[in-house]
Amino acid sequence: MLPDEELLERRQRVLGRNAPLFYERPVHLVKGKGVWVTDADGRDYLDVYNNVPCVGHCHPHVVEAIATQAGILNIHTRYLHETVVRYAERLTATFDASLNSAVFTCSGTESNELALRMARFRTGGEGVIVSDFCYHGNSKMVAELTTCFPVPEPFPAYARKVPVPDPYRDRQGMSDEQLADHFAAKVAEAVASLQAAGIKVAALLIDTLFANEGLPELVPGYAAKAVEIVRKAGGLFICDEVQAGFGRTGDAMWGHQLNGVIPDIVTLGKPMGNGHPLAGVITSSDLVDEFGKVANYFNTFGGNPVSAAAGMAVLDVLEGEKLLENARTTGAYVRAGLERLKDKHAIVGNVRGSGLFFGLDLVHDDADRSPATAECKRLINLMRDRGVLISRIGRYDNILKMRPPMVFAKEHADILLSTLDDALQAL
Ligand SMILES: Cc1ncc(COP(=O)(O)O)c(C=O)c1O
């Protein structure tokens, strides 16, 4: 095995000096099982960050499904294949009846790109409204809509950004209803601004849990009024479920099912194949058929037989091991533990999240809520050194982000909570 220093040096040379890596001391992983990953020295880490292996690293049922199908047939997507059709039927059955058609892709980026193309096709509009701290992928159209970090492409003239409500930071005496109204008013401003520039609205595109925005508690009813405004202007509602989907919240299979508004298009990715590159767009068969007539969309690898077998196996495990229920019960247990840490450590200003998706908003002072950005960076490195992998996110990079594989159990929660307690003490 190459020593880490040499591997890092060679990686930088061949993959570029800026190819992102987590942690001050990058982790060199060689294997994983369940919620555990192991580094090249044989050290185990509790994985509290990765939602891609959503049913657990190397889940035997998923591994077997992939290996078996790979040993029978894998081919591009322009042939009849029973598993592909069965998978699409089973997946779409988890959505509202209006969302009854799937187009498979290989990444969240491709899904969002396709969703925007479909929205523009359907509405005849070009305008897109996104949050002011978002990431939806890395193709040209999706990358230029990025608002959470700098990109070389200028923010496009056809787009507008709106701040999403964060009750902890923005409440300022406002009720939930006022916060929802405030968000709707910002969306109305964005619509008016596009119209004033002669641009018709095509879509409001949001991540239903606002994961990159820092996972603020969802304001009840925030979506309904905003979506009504967008639809009145002729636009569609696209929900990016790349992080929120597949039961992560425990309360529903899809994040949008928590906000009570049925989207026009849903985009999927990360956890869909448990690490196998499978993603997709879910929308009405009417839109898929109409778009298909003119776009001739095909995706060589998207939803091939091996991918479909992987996706099907993920659904088997989610159901068979009752992982939504686990997200609810273990999630509630973790959340209670995080609340106790908040009472103990002044730096923890706010506990947020639902199911198995948590954030801690770290602040210098709960009164002024000044973000503890440097401390947050130190903390994730202290956690890494103590064998627990988490990360950080949000406008000020001060929100601890925890989103483990969904086979996370109470025994793992206890390790997370005691390690976090210890690392917070060490800060
Ligand atoms: C909310 C969201 N949408 C889309 C994407 C892009 O997905 P991918 O990296 O599979 O293209 C990401 C990736 O982090 C994401 O967080």
Side-chain angles (χ1 to χ4, degrees), residues 106-110 112 135-138 207 212 240 242-243 270:
C106 304
S107 68
T109 299
E110 286 183 346
N112 284 317
Y135 177 72
H136 295 287
N138 56 24
D207 165 351
N212 293 314
D240 180 333
V242 165
Q243 293 205 43
K270 289 184 194 286

Side-chain angles (χ1 to χ4, degrees), residues 120-312:
R120 285 178 164 176
F121 164 78
R122 170 53 48 98
T123 62
E126 198 197 1
V128 180
I129 302 169
V130 293
S131 106
D132 69 355
F133 203 80
C134 73
Y135 177 72
H136 295 287
N138 56 24
S139 65
K140 180 186 178 294
M141 177 163 45
V142 187
E144 66 190 12
L145 293 170
T146 301
T147 53
C148 71
F149 52 74
V151 288
E153 297 82 5
F155 190 69
Y158 65 75
R160 297 290 181 275
K161 20 184 155 168
V162 289
V164 302
D166 179 342
Y168 177 60
R169 292 187 170 277
D170 307 332
R171 189 172 289 283
Q172 289 163 356
M174 282 193 271
S175 65
D176 282 347
E177 197 179 351
Q178 286 168 322
L179 278 173
D181 284 345
H182 183 70
F183 178 61
K186 291 289 173 193
V187 170
E189 264 173 40
V191 168
S193 161
L194 285 169
Q195 288 171 337
I199 298 165
K200 185 169 182 232
V201 180
L204 168 67
L205 166 63
I206 56 168
D207 165 351
T208 41
L209 281 192
F210 298 127
N212 293 314
E213 287 82 348
L215 211 68
E217 292 295 357
L218 295 180
V219 175
Y222 83 90
K225 289 176 185 167
V227 171
E228 196 185 327
I229 291 162
V230 170
R231 285 188 171 146
K232 233 185 225 155
L236 304 190
F237 180 35
I238 305 175
C239 285
D240 180 333
E241 295 269 1
V242 165
Q243 293 205 43
F246 289 93
R248 171 84 12 208
T249 67
D251 290 325
M253 183 72 166
W254 306 108
H256 68 262
Q257 289 166 338
L258 302 178
N259 67 30
V261 182
I262 298 164
D264 300 291
I265 307 180
V266 182
T267 59
L268 311 178
K270 289 184 194 286
M272 196 167 173
N274 211 46
H276 185 88
L278 171 62
V281 170
I282 308 293
T283 184
S284 67
S285 53
D286 171 56
L287 178 51
V288 170
D289 289 346
E290 290 302 309
F291 181 74
K293 260 191 222 162
V294 293
N296 189 26
Y297 184 87
F298 71 90
N299 189 316
T300 301
F301 300 122
N304 64 59
V306 171
S307 301
M312 191 79 109

Side-chain angles (χ1 to χ4, degrees), residues 44-62:
D44 291 331
Y45 296 80
L46 181 65
D47 183 359
V48 192
Y49 179 71
N50 287 294
N51 68 329
V52 170
C54 72
V55 297
H57 290 275
C58 304
H59 192 290
H61 183 63
V62 181

